[in-house]
Amino acid sequence: FEVAKRVLAKGLIPIIEPEVDIKAADKDRCEHQLLECLLAELETLRPCDRVIFKLTLPTVANLYRPLVGHPNTMRVVALSGGFDRADACKKLSENVGMIASFSRAFTEGLNAKQSDADYTKTIDQACQMIFEASRSGSCSAGAFKAMYAKVAGQDGFIAALDQSGGSTPKALKLYGVEETEYSGEVEMFTKIHEMRSRIITNPKFDGSRVLGAILFEQTLDRKICGMPSAQYLWEKKQVVPFLKIDKGLEEEKNGVQMMKDMPQLEALLDKGVAAGVFG
């Protein structure tokens, strides 16, 4: 960061590239230590400073997500680090908010003896494959910052579309769907998804007044108009997606109801990150 600050002093944007060897036996531990160090160093920057990180694709997907949303981070880009293009793109697509900065994986397949037509075809294929991997994360760095700005500063409200198992029958009844109109949980959740989809796709439901929407896990797992629900909310409606993570309340005890345990919380959070939710 000492060199980065000298670059910043000249009005330029530094690209900070602390590479972790993909063959290191303790690669995962190194990456966790690196993340701690980078976050600490970011706190030494001025509010106006912006940096780009160029990092090895991590062993644990989305490890560097805290860097993506940091106010001093302009971009987090990934180096291919020795992975071939297919492997590098696959790993990149699993990391929300990261884009590629590949060298060998980009030039893979190019040959000095190729005809112009074959050379052009190879470059086109490389560009398209890497482009798709770079945009596959549902919540890019730019999208995350746009969501942050919207939630923090825009007038509006957050729609709670997160009724889960226990509250669903009541929500459907209030909506005019009687319990006789469905049989079992599968049909019940299909009915509630139809309700939510109709609300979300209505032309009057959009980001001009609705800042965000809280989704139940099963809604996150389903699609709206052929798109994953969270992606549809943001890309089509400019409504920020949130994910409901609690499992409801325990039975009342001593006049108080406590939340149920959430043993699968980490897996659910990982699912939310991969789907592009904001919170």
Side-chain angles (χ1 to χ4, degrees), residues 35-89:
L35 175 61
E36 290 182 12
C37 292
L38 295 179
L39 287 171
E41 289 291 344
L42 280 172
E43 297 306 311
T44 70
L45 298 180
R46 300 170 300 174
C48 61
D49 292 333
R50 298 291 184 272
V51 299
I52 295 172
F53 290 109
K54 184 171 180 177
L55 305 172
T56 307
L57 287 159
T59 303
V60 177
N62 295 303
L63 175 68
Y64 296 127
R65 183 70 185 271
L67 297 175
V68 173
H70 196 282
N72 291 105
T73 303
M74 177 173 287
R75 278 286 195 177
V76 180
V77 306
L79 52 90
S80 50
F83 292 115
D84 63 31
R85 186 187 303 148
D87 284 344
C89 285

Side-chain angles (χ1 to χ4, degrees), residues 64-203:
Y64 296 127
R65 183 70 185 271
L67 297 175
V68 173
H70 196 282
N72 291 105
T73 303
M74 177 173 287
R75 278 286 195 177
V76 180
V77 306
L79 52 90
S80 50
F83 292 115
D84 63 31
R85 186 187 303 148
D87 284 344
C89 285
K90 182 179 183 299
K91 291 178 182 296
L92 177 61
S93 68
E94 296 167 353
N95 287 273
V96 174
M98 292 185 78
I99 64 170
S101 179
F102 295 165
S103 176
R104 282 171 289 180
F106 172 61
T107 59
E108 179 183 310
L110 292 175
N111 189 288
K113 296 180 175 59
Q114 285 175 309
S115 67
D116 285 347
D118 286 343
Y119 201 85
T120 299
K121 181 179 179 181
T122 303
I123 288 181
D124 180 47
Q125 290 173 339
C127 288
Q128 188 61 30
M129 190 173 181
I130 297 170
F131 172 74
E132 292 295 339
S134 295
R135 69 191 294 266
S136 61
S138 299
C139 185
S140 67
F144 187 86
K145 290 179 179 179
M147 290 180 189
Y148 185 97
K150 187 180 189 76
V151 173
Q154 182 180 313
D155 291 336
F157 67 96
I158 295 175
L161 303 177
D162 59 346
Q163 295 90 348
S164 53
S167 59
T168 298
K170 183 177 180 180
L172 285 172
K173 189 169 184 178
L174 290 171
Y175 187 61
V177 178
E178 300 294 335
E179 291 188 36
T180 55
E181 296 181 58
Y182 55 87
S183 176
E185 282 199 347
V186 173
E187 290 187 14
M188 178 183 73
F189 285 124
T190 296
K191 289 290 185 184
I192 200 73
H193 187 67
E194 290 172 356
M195 167 188 164
R196 291 163 180 157
S197 295
R198 188 174 183 185
I199 292 170
I200 291 169
T201 57
N202 189 279

Side-chain angles (χ1 to χ4, degrees), residues 213-217 220 241-245 268-269 271-272 277 279:
I214 305 172
L215 304 178
F216 173 49
E217 183 181 1
L220 187 76
F242 291 81
L243 174 62
K244 174 189 174 79
I245 60 170
L268 181 56
L269 293 174
K271 179 191 285 189
V277 303

Side-chain angles (χ1 to χ4, degrees), residues 196-268:
R196 291 163 180 157
S197 295
R198 188 174 183 185
I199 292 170
I200 291 169
T201 57
N202 189 279
K204 296 301 182 182
F205 182 96
D206 63 45
S208 64
R209 293 179 292 187
V210 184
L211 297 180
I214 305 172
L215 304 178
F216 173 49
E217 183 181 1
Q218 287 208 26
T219 305
L220 187 76
D221 292 338
R222 297 184 184 229
K223 294 183 177 182
I224 299 174
C225 296
M227 294 178 67
S229 297
Q231 184 180 354
Y232 182 90
L233 273 170
W234 180 246
E235 293 188 7
K236 299 298 183 182
K237 294 290 186 166
Q238 288 294 289
V239 173
V240 178
F242 291 81
L243 174 62
K244 174 189 174 79
I245 60 170
D246 75 86
K247 301 301 181 183
L249 300 173
E250 298 281 6
E251 293 296 323
E252 184 178 323
K253 185 177 181 180
N254 299 324
V256 175
Q257 283 184 285
M258 301 294 288
M259 290 178 61
K260 292 180 179 178
D261 289 338
M262 295 177 279
Q264 305 300 319
L265 179 58
E266 290 299 321
L268 181 56

